[in-house]
Amino acid sequence: MKSLRHANGALSLDSIEARPIFEGDTLRGLRQEKSNRAKDLIEDLMIAANGVTARFLSSRSLPSIRRVVRTPDRWDRIVEIAAQYDFTLPEVPDSEALEEFLTSRRPPIRFDSPICLSL
């Protein structure tokens, strides 16, 4: 399912989900919520269900509210930024090339610094 999503233009954009750590009623810190195969599978199934529902409603000309992801208006600027990192993007928007660039630039995420662990 994930391969099909990426073939249709999905990007790997990870977000950090933090779980609060409490002592009684006092917030003592944050801990990074770790991803696992079960969570990834649930995410993929939810996205697949959304796609099936959208296609079903559309095939019957029924109204629906959807998020439309458009081609970036400032693709030329994204190409310039990639070039600053010695990465060449094509002149026309290409989600696979953008995915490759974003993946190559992804910094390691650390949630174990004292600033993040204690408040």
Side-chain angles (χ1 to χ4, degrees), residues 31-94:
R31 179 181 49 213
Q32 181 181 359
E33 187 69 27
K34 303 249 187 240
S35 184
N36 60 47
R37 288 177 48 173
K39 288 180 184 179
D40 291 344
L41 179 60
I42 291 167
E43 178 183 304
D44 289 339
L45 290 171
M46 288 172 58
I47 291 168
N50 289 343
V52 169
T53 302
R55 287 188 296 279
F56 173 82
L57 294 171
S58 182
S59 72
R60 287 168 176 68
S61 299
L62 295 169
S64 64
I65 297 173
R66 294 189 236 175
R67 180 183 66 183
V68 177
V69 180
R70 301 190 194 295
T71 302
D73 291 330
R74 301 283 319 270
W75 180 256
D76 57 332
R77 180 69 179 120
I78 295 170
V79 170
E80 288 175 21
I81 292 169
Q84 291 174 3
Y85 294 97
D86 296 323
F87 195 95
T88 304
L89 288 173
E91 292 300 316
V92 295
D94 181 318

